[in-house]
Amino acid sequence: RKDGPFVAVDCGRIPERPCLRVSFSGHIKGSFTGAVTDKQGYFVDRIGGTIFLDEIGNLPYDVQVQLLRALEERKVHPVGGNVDIPFDVRIISATNENLKEAVASGRFREDLYHRLNEFSIQALPLRERKEDIQEMVDFYLNKFSCEMKKSPAKLTPGAAKMLTEYSWPGNVRELRNICERLVVLNDSAQITPDDLWQFKVFSRMK
């Protein structure tokens, strides 16, 4: 499916349940105010492709029921429609939340958890992937320098060592933000350990 259509859905950023259901299943023209045309949902629109459900642990409980039914039957029922539409997509989901604890507390359906958890990958935190840090820092420094039309600065060995030894409690998001801050604040050709302290880039040191 790597050449098929791909969509990433942030389940924590769709505020209203009807909007979430429409996003998944689509709707028929006239089914509600603002539905001026038919619209296919993610499942039908990405036939042969992949849907990435990010922060799946934030799905409202009633939407979890709808998602489970869709995954079990491989069909969706558009809002306002009278027929089910089959779909064929790969589902990838991710979360920072411990779903086993969410299941135990009743916040996440156990049947949906097992339905999604056919194959799982545990992503290592950045502090356990130190060999990736330098390459990622270089990438983001170059990216933000290009966006801001500045010449990319280079890390001195001492600064690179500090970034590698940092514990990165915020993982890749924190690294990205630090790199952007360095590009914004630094006007020299090099970034030194003193710069890292001066610009207060670390939330805490290891």
Side-chain angles (χ1 to χ4, degrees), residues 112-186:
L112 178 58
Y113 169 76
H114 290 299
R115 186 65 182 83
L116 291 169
N117 196 33
E118 292 180 356
F119 184 86
S120 62
I121 298 174
Q122 184 71 32
L124 293 175
L126 193 55
R127 63 181 175 273
E128 296 181 22
R129 296 156 41 206
K130 292 186 179 295
E131 66 277 6
D132 296 335
I133 292 175
Q134 182 65 62
E135 184 175 354
M136 295 177 70
V137 168
D138 291 341
F139 170 81
Y140 281 118
L141 288 178
N142 288 327
K143 176 182 186 300
F144 292 124
S145 295
C146 181
E147 291 178 0
M148 300 177 196
K149 298 180 171 55
K150 299 177 70 171
S151 297
K154 299 295 183 183
L155 294 171
T156 64
K161 184 173 185 293
M162 286 180 65
L163 291 176
T164 301
E165 293 179 348
Y166 180 52
S167 61
W168 297 107
N171 287 304
V172 177
R173 287 187 179 93
E174 183 180 14
L175 182 145
R176 182 185 187 279
N177 291 341
I178 282 178
C179 290
E180 185 172 15
R181 195 179 314 158
L182 288 172
V183 172
V184 170
L185 299 176
N186 182 67

Side-chain angles (χ1 to χ4, degrees), residues 41-128:
Y42 293 134
F43 287 128
V44 177
D45 198 32
R46 267 66 185 185
I47 293 296
T50 300
I51 296 176
F52 173 47
L53 301 177
D54 197 12
E55 297 300 346
I56 189 73
N58 291 334
L59 274 183
Y61 199 85
D62 55 337
V63 181
Q64 294 176 31
V65 177
Q66 298 167 10
L67 177 59
L68 176 63
R69 179 180 177 184
L71 295 180
E72 290 289 352
E73 299 179 357
R74 309 302 288 185
K75 296 177 182 178
V76 291
H77 191 89
V79 175
N82 52 21
V83 295
D84 291 335
I85 301 177
F87 65 85
D88 174 25
V89 296
R90 172 175 54 186
I91 305 294
I92 300 175
S93 59
T95 182
N96 285 318
E97 186 173 359
N98 187 322
L99 287 187
K100 289 184 178 179
E101 293 180 358
V103 168
S105 66
R107 290 178 291 111
F108 199 86
R109 290 184 62 95
E110 184 173 11
D111 45 9
L112 178 58
Y113 169 76
H114 290 299
R115 186 65 182 83
L116 291 169
N117 196 33
E118 292 180 356
F119 184 86
S120 62
I121 298 174
Q122 184 71 32
L124 293 175
L126 193 55
R127 63 181 175 273
E128 296 181 22

